[in-house]
Every structure is written in structure tokens, then in C-alpha cells.
């Protein structure tokens, strides 16, 4: 089974990215042939600063390596190091109905958030389909907001197969229900566009956790834990026993939001402190990081080559 996922280097990765996207990839790492790429072409739909894009691309690679990506088991590469994806995106573009892209929520949401309506932003799902189909992926771990893009991918694969014969497999999205939407500091979905994130290695994590918005119940009052952001975030980091204990504490009363925030901070540090140490080591050796990415690019291009050969032949080139 081929498992592939991508993430845009469009800012520092946060808890929502970790639990919504990265963790599923790590959990599946033992289960198949894995590909993880850094979608720097996609990031150009929002990032217009070359220095920042290069730096974010490197940061994403470091974050994945620090948090558990094993290069023996997963091919990690930069999207731009497999330029054939642009070629495939063109072939798919020629089969893509305008209406299909016009219906994409993500495009409409981005316009609503003030992004320019560029052709790149509009065609974003076609390039994403190319990323997936070029590697013949079976399973694509993504966050819930990417579900429609996977449907577009399947649709385009089907259209290609109908036009040219069976070339592509239809990939499935992998979206664990338990981590559907991670709340941010203000209770809305955690997202860099809402400025409510805690970054993976946030130097001000403690301050941000202590600042999570709560209602004004006193410490003595019993509280309902479900739906409370601190509790929802704690569930991601803590064991089932620890979660049950926090729920019981809230319901019993004499347990304040401050206590829960301290427990959340401790659980975050327990998971992330070892990752932080690993990242500090990796960052000292940029040449090794570049070697890893170059090696990933070589292996990814080799995986794409037989599929592209079939595709070119099928379309008549
Ligand atoms: P942002 O909303 O901060 O711009 P992205 O859209 O770049 O994040 O998300 C990258 C990946 O992380 C996607 O697969 C997305 O579904 C996942 N993700 C981001 N934020 C969350 C969240 N709050 N809850 C669950 N998954 C998330
Ligand atoms: N659109 C995805 C996101 O914003 C990133 C992405 C680009 C991707 N190409 C992909 C994810 C291919 C999975 C597979 O998170």
C-alpha cells in the first residue's frame, strides 16, 4: 500500500497540524510504502517572499524529522524537486471542468479571508491531484478540510481513465474522526489565519496555554468538561486514565481552569520536550538535512517515472 501526504510550508506548524495531519502519517508509517512531501509550489499561492518560503520549507522538514519521520520508512521530498508534477497537472487541467473547481470550499474560504483570486489558487486542487496520482497513492492522510480535494482527485483520476484507459488508481482519504478539528486558543478551529495557534516548538507555549479563553466560573463551581478547549486539547496529549481524571475533577468542583491549564502544559512538555531536543541537534547540521531531501527527491522521482511514462504514452506524447 502506498501512503502519501503533503503539507504546505506557509508558516510555522502548530498543534492543529500535528494532530490533524502529521500524527496520522506517523501512525501509518509502519503500514506501507510512505511518501511525505513539502508542498512548496502550493505555498506560493499565499507566500510571496522567496527567503521566507525557503526557510519554511526547511522548518517543515526539521519538524517532521524531529517529531518522528523515519527516513528509512518514509520518502520525504520537496514538491519542487519532482517537477513532473507540474507536467501531470497540465494533463489533468485539460480534463478539469471549471465548475468542479468553482465548487471547492477551500477556494471560496480563501477568497473570503482576503486572498487574491489568482489562477494558481483556483487550480490548486488540480496540482494536488497530480501530487497524489503521480505516486499512485492508495491512502492520503489529511485533515477534514481536505476531504473535498480528495474527491476532486478521484474525479480527475476517473476522467483520465475514461478518456485514456486505466492508468490511475482511485486514492482514499484517511481522516481519523477523533482528531477532526483541533480548537485554538479562542475556541475556534486552530489556524494560522485566526492567530490562535500554539506552534509545535513555541517558545511562548506556557504563556499561550495560560491565556486560553474560558468562561468565568469560579474555582469552586463544578464544570462540564466536554466542549471546553483546555479539556479538548488535553485529550490529545493525555492517556485515557488522565483524561477521565480531569473530567472527574471538573465535575466535582474545586478544580479551576488554572489547574487544568497546568496539566495541559505538563502533558505537552512530556510529548514535545524530546522532539525539541532532537530538533536542536538537527538544526546544527544543515548539510545533512539537504542530503536527506536530495535523497528523498531521487527516490520520489524514481517512483514517479514509470507512472509518467504510462501517462505520456496514453495522452499521445
Ligand atoms: P492552517 O489552517 O493553520 O492554515 P493548513 O490549512 O496549512 O493550516 O493545514 C495543514 C494540515 O493540517 C491540513 O491537513 C489540515 O487539515 C490540518 N489542520 C490544520 N489545522 C487543523 C485543526 N485545527 N484541526 C485539525 N486539523 C488541522
Ligand atoms: N492541500 C494540502 C493542505 O493544505 C497540502 C497538500 C498539497 C497535500 N498536496 C497534497 C496533502 C497532496 C495531501 C496530498 O494541507
Amino acid at each position: 500500500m502506498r501512503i502519501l501526504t503533503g503539507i504546505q510550508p506557509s508558516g510555522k506548524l502548530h498543534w492543529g497540524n500535528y494532530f490533524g495531519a502529521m500524527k496520522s502519517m506517523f501512525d501509518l508509517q509502519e503500514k506501507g510504502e510512505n511518501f511525505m512531501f513539502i508542498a512548496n509550489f502550493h505555498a506560493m499561492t499565499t507566500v510571496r517572499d522567496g527567503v521566507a518560503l525557503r526557510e519554511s520549507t526547511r522548518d517543515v522538514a526539521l519538524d517532521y524529522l524531529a517529531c518522528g519521520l523515519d527516513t528509512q520508512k518514509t520518502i520525504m521530498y520537496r514538491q519542487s524537486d519532482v517537477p513532473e508534477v507540474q507536467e501531470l497537472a497540465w494533463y489533468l487541467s485539460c480534463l478539469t471542468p471549471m465548475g468542479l473547481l468553482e465548487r471547492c470550499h477551500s477556494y471560496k474560504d480563501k477568497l473570503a479571508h482576503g486572498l487574491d483570486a489568482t489562477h494558481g489558487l483556483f487550480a490548486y486542487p488540480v496540482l494536488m491531484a497530480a501530487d497524489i496520482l503521480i505516486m499512485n497513492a492508495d491512502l492520503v492522510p489529511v485533515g477534514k478540510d481536505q476531504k473535498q480535494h480528495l474527491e476532486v482527485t478521484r474525479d480527475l483520476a476517473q476522467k483520465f481513465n475514461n478518456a485514456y484507459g486505466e492508468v490511475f488508481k482511485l486514492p482514499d482519504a484517511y481522516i481519523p474522526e477523533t482528531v477532526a478539528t483541533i480548537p485554538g486558543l479562542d475556541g475556534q478551529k486552530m489556524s494560522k489565519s485566526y492567530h490562535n495557534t500554539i506552534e509545535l516548538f513555541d517558545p511562548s507555549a506556557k504563556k499561550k496555554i495560560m491565556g486560553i479563553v474560558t468562561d468565568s466560573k469560579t474555582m469552586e463551581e463544578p464544570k462540564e468538561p466536554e466542549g471546553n478547549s483546555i479539556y479538548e486539547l488535553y485529550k490529545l496529549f493525555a492517556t485515557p486514565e488522565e483524561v477521565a481524571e480531569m473530567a472527574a475533577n471538573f465535575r466535582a468542583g474545586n478544580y479551576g481552569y488554572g489547574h487544568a491549564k497546568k496539566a495541559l502544559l505538563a502533558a505537552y512538555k512530556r510529548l514535545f520536550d524530546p522532539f525539541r531536543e532532537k530538533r536542536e541537534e538537527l538544526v546544527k547540521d544543515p548539510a545533512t538535512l539537504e542530503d536527506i531531501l536530495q535523497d528523498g527527491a531521487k527516490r520520489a522521482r524514481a517512483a514517479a517515472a514509470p507512472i509518467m511514462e504510462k501517462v505520456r504514452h496514453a495522452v499521445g506524447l
Side-chain angles (χ1 to χ4, degrees):
M1 180 171 62
R2 278 206 174 166
I3 305 166
L4 171 137
T5 193
I7 190 146
Q8 293 191 69
S10 49
K12 292 226 185 316
L13 298 182
H14 53 72
W15 291 8
N17 299 138
Y18 181 79
F19 290 104
M22 296 170 80
K23 193 168 176 298
S24 323
M25 195 237 112
F26 298 139
D27 291 347
L28 290 170
Q29 203 163 218
E30 313 297 328
K31 302 236 159 49
E33 218 185 324
N34 305 285
F35 296 81
M36 145 44 201
F37 74 95
I38 306 162
N40 52 355
F41 283 147
H42 276 112
M44 291 174 72
T45 56
T46 53
V47 182
R48 302 270 154 75
D49 172 339
V51 174
L53 182 64
R54 201 169 296 116
E55 203 168 296
S56 302
T57 303
R58 195 201 53 153
D59 277 346
V60 169
L62 287 169
D63 287 351
Y64 268 82
L65 288 168
C67 294
L69 184 139
D70 178 346
T71 52
Q72 301 294 317
K73 297 184 183 138
T74 301
I75 298 177
M76 178 170 72
Y77 58 100
R78 279 177 289 236
Q79 187 181 29
S80 56
D81 285 337
V82 184
E84 294 86 349
V85 294
Q86 293 288 4
E87 181 189 342
L88 179 57
W90 175 252
Y91 305 151
L92 297 174
S93 254
C94 294
L95 295 165
T96 308
M98 294 293 283
L100 184 67
L101 300 181
E102 279 159 1
R103 282 194 294 278
C104 285
H105 310 303
S106 164
Y107 175 68
K108 290 189 271 192
D109 280 359
K110 285 175 180 169
L111 295 195
H113 276 97
L115 291 190
D116 296 336
T118 60
H119 173 256
L121 196 62
F122 186 64
Y124 184 114
V126 183
L127 181 59
M128 180 158 165
D131 295 326
I132 297 169
L133 298 177
I134 203 169
M135 296 303 171
N136 238 336
D138 299 284
L139 203 61
V140 184
V142 279
K144 202 174 167 189
D145 57 331
Q146 297 297 312
K147 192 165 178 255
Q148 193 185 27
H149 287 162
L150 259 295
E151 285 157 12
V152 170
T153 303
R154 290 170 63 92
D155 210 348
L156 295 183
Q158 191 73 66
K159 282 190 194 310
F160 189 97
N161 289 350
N162 288 345
Y164 296 112
E166 289 296 309
V167 172
F168 294 124
K169 287 193 265 192
L170 304 194
D172 287 309
Y174 176 81
I175 308 173
E177 268 312 306
T178 44
V179 292
T181 303
I182 316 302
L185 299 172
D186 55 0
Q188 291 190 82
K189 178 197 159 184
M190 186 179 285
S191 168
K192 60 182 169 297
S193 355
Y194 302 151
H195 306 289
N196 64 355
T197 63
I198 305 177
E199 292 156 15
L200 299 189
F201 302 103
D202 208 322
S204 48
K206 182 174 177 188
K207 206 168 138 221
K208 287 188 176 170
I209 291 169
M210 294 305 163
I212 293 174
V213 178
T214 59
D215 60 30
S216 53
K217 287 206 170 79
T218 62
M219 191 190 71
E220 293 75 19
E221 281 178 79
K223 303 168 190 69
E224 176 48 45
E226 293 300 336
N228 169 320
S229 308
I230 308 167
Y231 178 69
E232 295 303 326
L233 291 170
Y234 188 66
K235 278 186 190 167
L236 300 167
F237 291 100
T239 63
E241 295 74 31
E242 290 168 333
V243 174
E245 192 185 332
M246 181 181 278
N249 284 336
F250 267 131
R251 291 195 175 106
N254 275 324
Y255 184 77
Y257 292 121
H259 295 118
K261 287 175 179 176
K262 278 196 190 128
L264 173 60
L265 175 65
Y268 157 69
K269 285 176 65 62
R270 181 175 65 192
L271 181 64
F272 270 81
D273 280 356
F275 298 164
R276 188 187 310 274
E277 276 170 35
K278 176 133 192 241
R279 198 181 190 288
E280 279 163 11
E281 284 309 304
L282 291 164
V283 85
K284 288 184 198 149
D285 188 0
T288 299
L289 178 67
E290 188 56 32
D291 286 349
I292 290 172
L293 289 168
Q294 294 288 346
D295 177 59
K298 222 166 54 196
R299 290 154 73 200
R301 288 188 85 178
I307 297 149
M308 283 311 290
E309 208 171 302
K310 262 201 205 168
V311 168
R312 291 187 193 111
H313 179 75
V315 299
L317 300 179

